[in-house]
């Protein structure tokens, strides 16, 4: 089952690698600013960017640390990230293809781990977090950033539905409470957390994933038919643009 899901992820993101490197929605935000501040305090650190996607976390921390390994399931994605890092003159960024649940690194190989907007694609959240914990040294730091789902069941269901229609590799946007439980279970101590809102322009959101038109129509149908509570929760606009919440978890291995 894991391999079958990984095939879907690779099929979805491989052809869209360059779109994610260029994505404005992924290249800025207070989470990246905080990530850069944390990296500045760790000169010489070896950093793993787990599920690197378009590589924006890698580009932000690389000038402040010793080495960054940008790791992603998609070979096309890490090729695009490697090329962009070279274009930016970031010679300390290397790439590695691997699934989050099966990392090819030794125990305690990294001083810092970053995982940004990736975990909602993992088939096995506990497996991925367990691997993240395993490859960190004692005293290391981890920063995990992801979309979080609202606590209200109707809002949660709406978010998972539109995410899956847009991208069949989507597994789940977890609630903050679910994240906290999973992180503790994996052996992480939560030092600090913060959330921020991220506005998603509908046209670019579906175009980036090349969502089929019949799925686009289904998403719009769900938005139009949504209750007033759901529409308010996501600030759904007439053109389908909406707002999601992103959480940043700053962690230490226990």
């Amino acid at each position: 089952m894991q391999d079958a899901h990984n095939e879907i992820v690779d099929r979805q993101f491989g052809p869209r690698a360059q779109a994610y490197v260029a994505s404005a929605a992924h290249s800025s935000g207070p989470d990246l600013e905080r990530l850069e501040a944390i990296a500045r305090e760790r000169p010489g650190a070896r950093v793993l960017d787990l599920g690197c996607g378009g590589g924006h976390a890698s580009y932000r921390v690389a000038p402040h640390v010793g080495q960054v390994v940008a790791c992603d399931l998609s070979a096309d994605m890490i090729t695009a990230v490697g090329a962009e890092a070279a274009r930016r003159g970031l010679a300390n960024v290397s790439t590695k293809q691997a699934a989050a649940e099966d990392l090819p690194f030794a125990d305690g190989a990294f001083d810092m781990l970053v995982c940004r907007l990736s975990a909602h694609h993992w088939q096995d959240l506990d497996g991925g977090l367990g691997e993240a914990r395993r490859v960190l040294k004692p005293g290391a730091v981890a920063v995990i950033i992801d979309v979080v789902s609202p606590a209200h069941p109707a809002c949660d269901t709406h978010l998972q539905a539109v995410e899956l229609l847009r991208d069949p590799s989507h597994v789940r946007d977890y609630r903050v409470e679910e994240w906290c439980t999973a992180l503790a279970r994996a052996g992480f101590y939560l030092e600090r957390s913060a959330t921020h809102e991220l506005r998603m322009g509908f046209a670019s959101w579906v175009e980036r994933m090349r969502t089929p038109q019949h799925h686009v129509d289904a998403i719009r149908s769900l938005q139009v038919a949504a209750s007033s509570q759901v529409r308010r929760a996501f600030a759904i606009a007439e053109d389908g643009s909406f707002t999601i919440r992103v959480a940043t978890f700053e962690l230490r291995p226990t």
Side-chain angles (χ1 to χ4, degrees):
M1 183 178 293
Q2 181 68 51
D3 289 344
H5 178 73
N6 288 349
E7 289 174 7
I8 295 174
V9 175
D10 191 37
R11 185 171 67 244
Q12 285 296 110
F13 284 91
R16 298 150 180 84
Q18 198 56 51
Y20 274 82
V21 170
S23 169
H26 291 78
S27 62
S28 63
D31 55 326
L32 284 176
E33 293 170 9
R34 177 60 184 160
L35 189 58
E36 186 172 16
I38 293 170
R40 283 198 190 100
E41 299 173 356
R42 290 161 177 81
R46 187 174 189 231
V47 181
L48 176 63
D49 184 358
L50 178 59
C52 65
H56 300 289
S58 291
Y59 312 143
R60 191 62 72 99
V61 304
H64 310 291
V65 300
Q67 180 188 11
V68 178
V69 179
C71 178
D72 201 271
L73 179 65
S74 167
D76 291 333
M77 194 71 81
I78 61 171
T79 296
V81 170
E84 179 65 14
R87 188 189 71 79
R88 297 182 183 215
L90 300 172
N92 62 337
V93 175
S94 62
T95 60
K96 187 71 175 180
Q97 182 184 8
E101 300 90 344
D102 187 19
L103 297 177
F105 307 113
D107 295 0
F110 295 94
D111 306 291
M112 180 176 176
L113 179 142
V114 178
C115 179
R116 183 174 186 256
L117 302 177
S118 170
H120 58 274
H121 295 288
W122 298 354
Q123 179 73 16
D124 181 1
L125 181 65
D126 284 344
L129 292 178
E131 281 290 86
R133 171 65 183 84
R134 179 184 67 78
V135 302
L136 285 173
K137 295 177 181 178
V141 62
V143 183
I144 296 181
I145 302 163
D146 210 358
V147 178
V148 288
S149 183
H152 193 279
C155 297
D156 176 87
T157 298
H158 177 88
L159 180 60
Q160 311 304 336
V162 299
E163 287 264 52
L164 186 60
L165 283 167
R166 174 194 178 244
D167 171 16
S169 73
H170 175 75
V171 174
R172 176 163 177 78
D173 294 323
Y174 297 93
R175 301 190 310 274
V176 169
E177 294 80 5
E178 291 177 302
W179 265 113
C180 291
T181 299
L183 291 167
R185 193 164 55 233
F188 286 105
Y189 171 74
L190 177 61
E191 290 197 323
R192 181 177 183 270
S193 66
T195 62
H196 70 276
E197 291 186 344
L198 179 61
R199 189 68 178 170
M200 307 303 292
F202 187 83
S204 59
W205 181 64
V206 294
E207 181 181 353
R208 188 162 53 246
M209 191 49 69
R210 300 181 191 174
T211 304
Q213 187 58 49
H214 60 286
H215 282 197
V216 173
D217 293 341
I219 294 169
R220 293 295 289 125
S221 176
L222 286 176
Q223 290 180 322
V224 170
S227 69
S228 58
Q229 180 181 29
V230 169
R231 293 184 65 83
R232 284 195 304 271
F234 297 104
I236 300 171
E238 289 301 314
D239 68 350
S241 298
F242 62 98
T243 296
I244 54 177
R245 186 159 290 277
V246 176
T248 300
F249 302 100
E250 298 177 28
L251 311 157
R252 296 277 185 178
T254 57

